[in-house]
């Protein structure tokens, strides 16, 4: 059963829910809906649920998302009345928020820079990268600065179910620990996209009157396949190359459960396998995005999967 905990109050009776998260998005987003209630029931809910409250969504005893109540929307039409609650990760409060003063960060790590940009956000540091020089500009949006920091360092920065802002590598481990199975918990596989295009990254030294463009190119790395895109980056490292690489195969998979065959909660940046891999063509794939849904008493998890990739020097 799905429940919502607001501050210390646990609320059940949720009729619809969607929780979406991605390794490419800073914040997770949830919308839960209460329907089939009388105006008095809605009034009672509003005594406990207020904008800005801390919020936790769980299925039985497993936490699906932690964050805060962003918005409360009463809805009414001829068909039904409902109360929609929008919940976001704590980092969402910094999205579109300009930084007040630009800074130079010299030889600081990604987590040190993040703690300065958003000091009240709890950070889970799985990978710490030291950046020789990083500059933020006054009035630049905080989320744009964080996105640029992720690209420079070649790391993922996103929100996990715990609500913490996570800094880690994109998974390259191919060992399969969890499975999904056709006919058991796989409902649908679609949107299959295949690509053999590689990428190339180039780092450049600052140009001046004494350095021409060819001499300024200091490092170049490329991935497998014919080069489809070229990026100029601050620091050309294997981690940064991996950040920009395009997956050779992506699919969308819909599961009938929020959990794998072995009973573990499905999560982004997690390797998942299929016991009938002929359906997909890969024995192991990476979950890059997931949307937990409850609609008409039916639970589904819609996932975006990528083939696991790794770069090589070129």
């Amino acid at each position: 059963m799905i429940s919502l905990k607001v501050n210390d109050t646990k609320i059940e009776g949720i009729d619809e829910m969607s929780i979406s998260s991605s390794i490419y998005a800073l914040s997770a987003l949830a919308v839960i809906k209460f329907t089939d209630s009388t105006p008095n029931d809605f009034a009672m809910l509003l005594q406990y649920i207020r904008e800005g409250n801390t919020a936790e969504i769980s299925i039985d005893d497993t936490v699906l998302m932690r964050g805060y109540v962003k918005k409360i929307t009463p809805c009414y039409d001829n068909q039904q009345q409902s109360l929609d609650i929008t919940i976001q990760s704590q980092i969402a409060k910094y999205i579109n928020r300009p930084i007040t003063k630009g800074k130079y960060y010299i030889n600081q790590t990604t987590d040190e820079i993040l703690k300065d940009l958003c000091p009240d956000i709890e950070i889970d540091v799985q990978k710490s990268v030291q950046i020789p020089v990083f500059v933020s500009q006054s009035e630049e949006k905080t989320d744009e600065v964080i996105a640029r920091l992720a690209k420079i360092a070649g790391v993922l920065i996103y929100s996990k179910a715990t609500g913490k802002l996570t800094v880690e590598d994109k998974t390259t481990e191919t060992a399969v620990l969890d499975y999904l199975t056709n006919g058991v918990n796989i409902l649908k596989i679609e949107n299959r996209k295949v690509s053999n295009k590689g990428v190339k990254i180039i780092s450049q030294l600052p140009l001046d009157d004494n350095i021409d463009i060819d001499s300024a190119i200091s490092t170049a790395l490329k991935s497998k396949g014919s080069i489809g895109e070229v990026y100029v980056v601050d620091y050309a490292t294997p981690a940064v190359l991996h950040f920009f690489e395009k997956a050779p195969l992506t699919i969308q998979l819909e599961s009938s459960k929020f959990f794998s065959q072995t009973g573990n909660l499905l999560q982004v940046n997690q390797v998942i396998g299929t016991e009938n891999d002929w359906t997909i063509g890969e024995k192991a794939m990476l979950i890059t995005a997931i949307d937990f849904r409850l609609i008409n008493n039916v639970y589904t998890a819609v996932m975006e999967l990528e083939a696991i990739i790794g770069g090589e020097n070129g």
Side-chain angles (χ1 to χ4, degrees):
M1 177 180 289
I2 302 292
S3 64
L4 169 66
K5 184 190 247 184
V6 179
N7 291 346
D8 293 323
T9 302
K10 185 176 181 180
I11 302 169
E12 297 178 341
I14 295 169
D15 296 291
E16 293 184 14
M17 178 199 73
S18 171
I19 303 176
S20 57
S21 60
S22 169
I23 61 174
Y24 304 124
L26 198 58
S27 171
L29 173 67
V31 178
I32 61 175
K33 185 186 291 285
F34 295 93
T35 62
D36 302 325
S37 298
T38 66
N40 288 337
D41 293 330
F42 288 142
M44 182 69 70
L45 285 171
L46 291 172
Q47 291 183 16
Y48 296 104
I49 306 173
R50 303 288 176 88
E51 291 182 1
N53 285 162
T54 59
E56 178 182 286
I57 306 172
S58 300
I59 179 168
D60 299 325
D61 295 324
T62 302
V63 174
L64 299 174
M65 178 184 173
R66 288 194 179 106
Y68 73 101
V69 177
K70 171 66 175 178
K71 184 170 62 174
I72 301 172
T73 309
C75 301
Y76 178 81
D77 58 31
N78 292 331
Q79 302 299 319
Q80 69 174 12
Q81 56 189 1
S82 66
L83 191 65
D84 295 1
I85 314 297
T86 302
I87 297 169
Q88 294 179 314
S89 305
Q90 290 291 343
I91 189 63
K93 67 181 73 172
Y94 285 95
I95 294 176
N96 291 323
R97 180 192 290 187
I99 58 175
T100 56
K101 185 179 180 181
K103 285 188 178 181
Y104 272 85
Y105 300 92
I106 308 296
N107 290 326
Q108 293 200 36
T109 62
T110 45
D111 41 300
E112 289 172 334
I113 297 171
L114 285 171
K115 287 174 184 175
D116 185 66
L117 291 169
C118 39
D120 59 330
I121 301 299
E122 192 173 0
I123 301 173
D124 177 16
V125 182
Q126 298 297 318
K127 178 67 176 291
S128 183
V129 180
Q130 187 176 63
I131 308 296
V133 179
F134 183 77
V135 182
S136 64
Q137 303 290 337
S138 178
E139 299 306 313
E140 194 176 6
K141 301 292 194 301
T142 305
D143 55 308
E144 294 173 348
V145 176
I146 294 174
R148 188 159 51 82
L149 177 65
K151 288 182 180 179
I152 288 174
V155 295
L156 300 174
I157 302 178
Y158 67 99
S159 295
K160 281 194 170 180
T162 59
K164 296 179 182 179
L165 189 64
T166 300
V167 185
E168 64 184 3
D169 282 327
K170 189 175 183 180
T171 296
T172 57
E173 178 59 58
T174 57
V176 176
L177 301 177
D178 281 305
Y179 288 89
L180 295 170
T181 305
N182 295 333
V184 177
N185 49 15
I186 294 179
L187 295 175
K188 188 189 303 181
I189 298 173
E190 59 185 3
N191 294 340
R192 184 184 181 92
K193 297 177 183 178
V194 179
S195 172
N196 61 357
K197 293 294 184 182
V199 299
K200 184 176 183 178
I201 60 172
I202 299 171
S203 63
Q204 290 183 298
L205 299 172
L207 295 177
D208 61 34
D209 292 340
N210 298 316
I211 302 177
D212 60 29
I213 292 178
D214 291 335
S215 300
I217 297 176
S218 57
T219 307
L221 301 176
K222 66 178 181 179
S223 63
K224 295 178 180 178
S226 59
I227 302 304
E229 296 182 54
V230 177
Y231 300 93
V232 177
V233 299
D234 291 70
Y235 309 103
T237 66
V240 174
L241 175 64
H242 185 57
F243 183 93
F244 282 100
E245 279 185 289
K246 310 299 181 185
L249 172 66
T250 60
I251 64 168
Q252 185 181 81
L253 183 148
E254 185 172 346
S255 170
S256 59
K257 297 180 181 179
F258 293 180
F259 299 87
S260 68
Q261 194 79 0
T262 52
N264 294 317
L265 181 70
L266 297 168
Q267 301 180 65
V268 293
N269 210 28
Q270 170 191 7
V271 177
I272 199 76
T274 64
E275 292 189 349
N276 310 96
D277 59 273
W278 61 268
T279 324
I280 297 176
E282 297 281 339
K283 292 183 178 179
M285 296 192 78
L286 182 68
I287 302 175
T288 58
I290 191 165
D291 188 357
F292 293 123
R293 299 174 183 174
L294 168 62
I295 302 174
N296 296 327
N297 294 316
V298 176
Y299 294 83
T300 57
V302 179
M303 291 167 278
E304 298 290 334
L305 305 182
E306 289 183 2
I308 299 170
I309 54 177
E312 65 176 10
N313 291 5

